Amino acid sequence: MIDKNSFSQIDIEHRGESIQVEQNRIGFEYHGRAASYTGYLSISARDGIPNKTVLISLVQARIEAFLQAPYLIGKYDHNSWREISKNLTTGAPQIRLPHWHTGELLAELERQGFVLVDRPNLFLDAPAHLDQCTLQALVKPLLEPGSRATPEVELAQMMALSAAQQGEAHKQISLF
């Protein structure tokens, strides 16, 4: 239980990422991109509130997991989710961005023909002309472990390069 280590809000930094932790009546609220794909996580403290040292180690473990996660929302966030899913209405392959994205990657994906079909949840349908294999290769930079912590500008540049490589591969195949 928290006593002399009591706090109402602390910022915990670890390996360049931070999570702001606020204590509430039932546990804790985490804020920051490493907290979750929405930037927010509520943790219930049913078994009692840990002391500050234990809480810091729990938050650091969460940040470590974030640093290993792929950029696209999927299994890291929920076991039954897939990084590349299917739009249940149209059947189109679909990807999902984190809510805390800064916009650079979204702009690059839209430039490549992805369509934002669900703004509140950030679902994007892939261009209709892409088959599953090409799509997988195109979004490979966003599926790489650890890419969630990569600055969006770099990810957008990687996506542009990936698209250029996919375009060149398509041209080479069409020659034969």
Side-chain angles (χ1 to χ4, degrees), residues 66-105:
F66 167 84
L67 293 171
Q68 299 305 311
Y71 188 83
L72 292 180
I73 304 304
K75 289 186 266 316
Y76 166 79
D77 306 286
H78 192 283
N79 288 335
S80 66
W81 294 354
R82 298 178 56 173
E83 284 81 11
I84 298 176
S85 58
K86 221 170 236 215
N87 181 321
L88 297 176
T89 306
T90 66
Q94 193 172 68
I95 61 173
R96 186 176 186 189
L97 301 181
H99 289 226
W100 40 258
H101 77 95
T102 58
E104 291 92 350
L105 184 59

Side-chain angles (χ1 to χ4, degrees), residues 36-47:
S36 76
Y37 67 94
T38 64
Y40 171 81
L41 183 65
S42 180
I43 304 288
S44 173
R46 284 174 249 185
D47 300 327

Side-chain angles (χ1 to χ4, degrees), residues 19-39:
I19 292 180
Q20 182 184 72
V21 180
E22 293 179 31
Q23 188 175 353
N24 61 27
R25 291 183 309 127
I26 61 165
F28 301 95
E29 294 177 359
Y30 293 1
H31 300 273
R33 70 183 200 146
S36 76
Y37 67 94
T38 64

